[in-house]
Amino acid sequence: MTAQIPVRWTDPEQQELEERVAAAELAWLSMDVDVQTLRVEIDNFALIHHQLLGPLYARLDELDALVAEAVAATTGRPEDVRRAAEARQQVEELPDLDALFDSVQAVREERGGEEEAVPAPPAAPAKVRPGREAQRIYRDLVRRAHPDLTTDPAEQERRAAFLVRVNEAYAFGDAGALAGLAAEWSTAPEAAPAPDAPDRLEWLRRRLEWLTAKIAETAAEQVRLERTPMGQLLALAPQDPDGLLEQLAEELLAKAADRQAELARLLGDTQPPVGDNGTDPIDPQESHTMFPQIPSADAASVPADAVLLDVREQDEWDAGHVDGALHIPLGQVIARLGELPDDKLYVLCRVGGRSAQVVQYLVQQGRDAVNVDGGMYAWEGAGRPMVSSTGQDAYVL
């Protein structure tokens, strides 16, 4: 007879705890990655929101104050005078948006420490949500290097410092830096007791209790982030946050146009507002700009030697652009303002919405800028020449 190998006895309670701990650990890690991702998106959304829309909000407040002051000057009523004073006070109490941006950047640089492995990121994130590759590497790194996957204090500290660099690279969507960090990462032996150690069962009980608390804590943090003003705004368009910013800008520009028209009426000004293209807003025309309060031109009339600024994203630029145009994506315009020439700028995007935001900002800065109505679609429709970055036939993406 062949001797049977005895089956190793396994404590049923320990086996059940092993499975519950593994499941809880997986659930918590997934939740934590989602929360960290949401935090980065909210931070980026807030930065770009203040950069692009801050000047528009400031312009609206200024126009509101001017309208209220014009009404007060006309009626002389104490109530109108009070409203004018309150409107002017709101303008004077506006926060310094540049200082706010600088302070946020300083905090980010301080978090990054003095590590030199990650190249210095650009001055501001180009998009609210980093690209798919950056998302994939980031999630993988967080799952592998999370500090709470070990119980050793020194290893937790090492992992926490490493994740600071990971979070910084992800905030700017730097997939190259994230790939370098993934190659650099190596894990240390887990400090938990071995499966057959006498104290393993007690450790599993404590670990499950800790994980349960972490899941509740992480869920509460997710709810808190979602309920912040920027979190609620981001939730309006979770699949296209950058498009939401463009839509908000269009709404603010329309409101500013209404305020400007009202102010002109109150002041008895028969001339069109500064930057108006002179068309009758009641008379629809094919070439009529959707942003009548800013300087604009149709694609066919742009001079051949005009200085063009294309504010689309890299993939749009690569598919088809005007040869010789300056390319600065919308989210980088403010940070790279010094790169713009002093010449009159004709600003392009895909359909004219993003470029209108840039023109509005540049005009407020005293620059000579014109929005190209209809963007690259209108340019292509007018038969104007385009090239691609790949050498293939150019098209508008």
Side-chain angles (χ1 to χ4, degrees):
M1 290 182 59
T2 304
Q4 293 184 343
I5 301 175
V7 178
R8 181 180 174 184
W9 181 83
T10 303
D11 185 340
E13 181 184 3
Q14 180 170 333
Q15 181 64 29
E16 180 187 0
L17 279 173
E18 294 280 5
E19 294 172 356
R20 292 178 62 187
V21 165
E25 204 163 71
L26 179 61
W28 167 64
L29 273 177
S30 297
M31 288 180 63
D32 193 65
V33 169
D34 289 341
V35 169
Q36 296 300 334
T37 302
L38 177 61
R39 182 178 288 111
V40 166
E41 291 183 4
I42 289 177
D43 285 348
N44 285 359
F45 189 83
L47 276 175
I48 300 175
H49 179 276
H50 287 307
Q51 277 187 311
L52 296 183
L53 304 189
L56 297 181
Y57 283 119
R59 176 62 176 160
L60 266 178
D61 284 337
E62 174 65 26
L63 286 170
D64 283 341
L66 290 172
V67 168
E69 289 165 351
V71 171
T74 301
T75 67
R77 291 197 297 260
E79 180 67 13
D80 291 336
V81 173
R82 179 185 63 79
R83 288 173 180 167
E86 291 175 351
R88 177 56 58 187
Q89 183 179 11
Q90 183 174 348
V91 174
E92 293 173 350
E93 291 179 353
L94 278 174
D96 185 343
L97 293 171
D98 289 334
L100 172 65
F101 176 71
D102 291 342
S103 67
V104 174
Q105 286 300 108
V107 170
R108 282 188 164 180
E109 291 171 4
E110 186 176 320
R111 285 184 197 160
E114 299 179 354
E115 298 284 355
E116 298 180 355
V118 180
K127 285 188 174 184
V128 172
R129 178 174 294 124
R132 291 182 180 275
E133 181 64 9
Q135 291 181 47
R136 183 191 66 77
I137 301 174
Y138 173 75
R139 287 175 172 273
D140 180 63
L141 271 174
V142 172
R143 288 190 175 101
R144 289 164 51 197
H146 201 290
D148 291 324
L149 287 177
T150 178
T151 56
D152 179 73
E155 178 64 7
Q156 285 181 333
E157 184 176 349
R158 182 179 82 90
R159 288 168 175 251
F162 179 78
L163 282 186
V164 167
R165 297 163 59 199
V166 171
N167 289 334
E168 192 72 17
Y170 180 68
F172 291 96
D174 194 338
L178 287 168
L181 288 165
E184 172 189 330
W185 178 248
S186 62
T187 57
E190 174 57 55
D196 56 351
D199 56 346
R200 176 74 177 185
L201 187 61
E202 182 58 31
W203 180 86
L204 286 170
R205 294 191 185 102
R206 293 196 307 270
R207 183 68 172 170
L208 183 59
E209 182 180 356
W210 182 88
L211 285 168
T212 302
K214 291 297 287 186
I215 288 173
E217 178 185 318
T218 305
E221 176 64 7
Q222 180 172 351
V223 171
R224 186 193 69 79
L225 287 171
E226 290 172 346
R227 289 181 177 177
T228 60
M230 284 298 164
Q232 292 178 8
L233 196 56
L234 185 61
L236 295 177
Q239 302 305 318
D240 186 19
D242 296 284
L244 174 62
L245 289 172
E246 184 173 340
Q247 177 185 341
L248 291 173
E250 292 178 9
E251 293 174 358
L252 290 174
L253 287 167
K255 289 180 181 179
D258 291 341
R259 301 291 195 283
Q260 198 163 348
E262 182 181 2
L263 179 62
R265 179 184 60 78
L266 289 168
L267 297 177
D269 186 358
T270 58
Q271 299 297 319
V274 175
D276 195 358
N277 58 11
T279 57
D280 181 357
I282 301 177
D283 180 23
Q285 302 178 27
E286 288 185 2
S287 60
H288 189 281
T289 175
M290 60 195 269
F291 297 98
Q293 70 277 18
I294 62 173
S296 60
D298 62 86
S301 67
V302 175
D305 60 349
V307 179
L308 298 174
L309 171 62
D310 191 324
V311 298
R312 296 175 301 156
E313 297 304 317
Q314 187 66 48
D315 55 348
E316 297 175 285
W317 167 270
D318 290 339
H321 59 268
V322 182
D323 191 21
L326 176 62
H327 178 221
I328 301 179
L330 174 66
Q332 301 178 26
V333 169
I334 295 178
R336 299 170 60 183
L337 201 60
E339 298 179 27
L340 300 181
D342 294 330
D343 309 83
K344 184 176 185 177
L345 293 170
Y346 287 80
V347 188
L348 282 157
C349 67
R350 181 168 53 182
V351 296
R354 284 170 287 177
S355 55
Q357 298 177 49
V358 174
V359 170
Q360 177 80 5
Y361 176 78
L362 292 176
V363 169
Q364 289 177 349
Q365 304 304 308
R367 304 294 296 269
D368 191 1
V370 177
N371 187 43
V372 179
D373 279 344
M376 288 299 297
Y377 277 127
W379 186 276
E380 183 181 42
R384 304 296 296 266
M386 296 190 307
V387 297
S388 71
S389 299
T390 62
Q392 299 176 345
D393 291 342
Y395 66 96
V396 179
L397 177 63

